[in-house]
Amino acid sequence: MAALRTALATAVVAGLALVAALSGCAAAAAPTGPRFVTPPLIRFSSVLWPVPLQLVGAQPGARLRITASLTSSRGTWTSGATYEVGGDGTIDFAHDRPQLAPFTQPDSAGLFWSLRGPSLGPEALVQQWMRDTSPVTLTASDGDRIVARRTFELQGLASTSHTAAVYTHDLAPEGVGSQPPPHETHEDEQIGTFWSAASVERPTGPAVLMFDDPSPGASSAFTAPVLSQFGASVFVIPVSSSDGVHVSTVIDSGTVAAVLDWLDHRTGVDARHVFAFGTGAAEQLAVWAATMFPRQLHGVFAGGGASALLCLAGSSASPVFAGSVGLSCEREPGPATTPPSIQEVAGPVVLACGRDDEVFPPACDDLRSLAHTRTLRAGDQLLVGSGAAHAVTVPPGLPIALPSARGPSGADAESTQAARIAFWNAVGQQLLRAVLS
């Protein structure tokens, strides 16, 4: 039964990568002549795994330039690659190697994630890639002659999400309205945001307690909708950071305990499968929560940051308090820092890092030390992205926080995109196993 479940989960991951995680529909291509084709029912969003994509009916041996373009009210994004048409008149983007391209390996999503355009602020990034529908046009040209053209409507995954603000009074047990609020507020304030994945077809599913990573593309506005597509509801506790390594937000353990109790009694949440999620500066908080609440948190997904609690930048103040007492913290990360033990985490631990992380260079060494505090168990993964930059936990396909070219650090966009796929495949597999359990 376990083997069957694993096989089924893997199959669903593949199906989700190709269909369920991708929304918005591409128009049907003409039945004859050179044309871009995808299998029936393939649907696209800006969060994009590689999918079957071909140009068929072209002149065998021709050398075609394939360009991608997107124009919106915020500017224009473009990308391009050159391919040689095969003897059967086909370019198979999933299997054919490009020339003169920003990526070197076969990749049917390459022309999408390699789009480059104007620099946008955080809110504009969210609106552009997660809320709006972005029409990306692929054009095949033989010199000055256009051979084929097709527009793909990339729908933002957040456009259909169901969210609700959660306030201090919401965390009080039902019927105990006079209970004091968590320690650090003393007033009725917003504690976080809840993304519900419950539906008629799937009334109960796993949940993720997310400590938000404020860095571009990795914030909850990008990651929570993807987790919801995998069937998990998400409770987001906001976190801020000025340098991408230290947090500048103070969390109270009583608040986290109250959130977990709230999730435990939430209709639609399978309390057996609640995972902690934290990347970048927020990774330390997710690891802390998983070790602090091992009976309520089943597993942890983390990457790109320090595993031990780091003091607030430039001070000795802790980012986590238990009542009025700050927990022990390290002034700066380093080889002498002792990682917390994650041995008691009952479920899977998925850790990811970029070997060429320029924001937190010791990220991979830090995660290896953390992984060594635990006996390897089913579902555990330590994903080290060779050539990958810092932003390995941004959802795949998004043209955000990617190196523009291989620089002194050695990081490149293609390796970073591959690391993103590996991380999200691992996270999706564990969430889908929880859905099916």
Side-chain angles (χ1 to χ4, degrees):
M1 179 65 71
L4 176 62
R5 180 174 296 164
T6 299
L8 182 57
T10 302
V12 175
V13 168
L16 183 59
L18 296 179
V19 182
L22 310 175
S23 56
C25 187
T32 59
R35 60 203 181 277
F36 292 98
V37 297
T38 57
L41 303 182
I42 291 291
R43 300 184 175 183
F44 295 86
S45 85
S46 55
V47 176
L48 184 63
W49 273 256
V51 299
L53 173 63
Q54 296 179 328
L55 175 68
V56 302
Q59 178 66 38
R63 198 163 183 258
L64 301 182
R65 184 66 178 171
I66 314 297
T67 58
S69 64
L70 162 65
T71 299
S72 78
S73 60
R74 300 173 191 86
T76 298
W77 286 258
T78 60
S79 181
T82 299
Y83 290 86
E84 184 172 329
V85 180
D88 60 353
T90 298
I91 297 174
D92 187 336
F93 295 94
H95 296 93
D96 294 344
R97 190 183 299 273
Q99 304 166 0
L100 303 175
F103 48 97
T104 61
Q105 299 301 314
D107 187 347
S108 61
L111 288 165
F112 296 90
W113 61 254
S114 64
L115 287 166
R116 294 294 179 266
S119 178
L120 300 179
E123 182 57 33
L125 276 176
V126 173
Q127 188 67 42
Q128 176 69 46
W129 300 111
M130 299 305 294
R131 296 177 186 150
D132 289 350
T133 296
S134 301
V136 176
T137 299
L138 295 189
T139 302
S141 301
D142 186 353
D144 295 333
R145 182 173 64 91
I146 294 177
V147 173
R149 177 173 285 163
R150 178 172 168 181
T151 298
F152 297 81
E153 302 287 343
L154 307 186
Q155 183 182 357
L157 289 182
S159 62
T160 58
S161 298
H162 303 288
T163 64
V166 180
Y167 293 85
T168 305
H169 74 271
D170 295 318
L171 301 183
E174 190 172 348
V176 192
S178 60
Q179 179 171 313
H183 169 75
E184 81 274 15
T185 63
H186 300 295
E187 295 179 2
D188 189 21
E189 298 181 352
Q190 183 173 346
I191 298 296
T193 303
F194 184 65
W195 301 65
S196 176
S199 64
V200 174
E201 299 81 10
R202 191 173 54 225
T204 302
V208 173
L209 173 64
M210 176 184 291
F211 296 92
D212 206 1
D213 177 356
S215 61
S219 72
S220 60
F222 297 91
T223 55
V226 183
L227 294 169
S228 295
Q229 292 292 324
F230 284 125
S233 296
V234 185
F235 193 107
V236 180
I237 295 179
V239 174
S240 59
S241 172
S242 59
D243 61 4
V245 178
H246 302 79
V247 299
S248 51
T249 302
V250 176
I251 302 292
D252 191 272
S253 62
T255 299
V256 177
V259 169
L260 290 172
D261 287 342
W262 184 83
L263 287 172
D264 186 43
H265 294 89
R266 182 79 181 181
T267 301
V269 170
D270 176 5
R272 301 170 304 157
H273 296 106
V274 179
F275 300 82
F277 185 109
T279 64
E283 177 188 319
Q284 59 188 289
L285 299 176
V287 174
W288 162 78
T291 59
M292 181 71 181
F293 304 98
R295 293 185 179 181
Q296 292 168 284
L297 286 168
H298 179 63
V300 60
F301 310 130
S307 57
L309 288 178
L310 301 181
C311 303
L312 302 182
S315 76
S316 58
S318 177
V320 178
F321 276 68
S324 58
V325 179
L327 302 188
S328 176
C329 61
E330 301 282 348
R331 288 292 297 266
E332 294 296 337
T337 302
T338 302
S341 173
I342 52 174
Q343 179 64 26
E344 298 305 314
V345 178
V349 173
V350 175
L351 307 173
C353 65
R355 188 175 290 172
D356 296 286
D357 187 331
E358 72 289 354
V359 175
F360 184 54
C364 290
D365 291 338
D366 191 280
L367 285 188
R368 285 192 186 95
S369 297
L370 179 65
H372 288 158
T373 68
R374 173 181 175 86
T375 303
L376 186 66
R377 302 178 194 176
D380 288 358
Q381 292 198 54
L382 173 59
L383 305 167
V384 178
S386 178
H390 173 71
V392 295
T393 59
V394 173
L398 293 171
I400 298 173
L402 289 166
S404 58
R406 185 179 291 276
S409 69
D412 68 274
E414 188 171 17
S415 298
T416 305
Q417 165 71 0
R420 294 174 176 182
I421 291 174
F423 175 74
W424 283 99
N425 279 350
V427 170
Q429 186 176 54
Q430 297 310 317
L431 292 178
L432 286 164
R433 282 178 172 168
V435 167
L436 296 171
S437 66

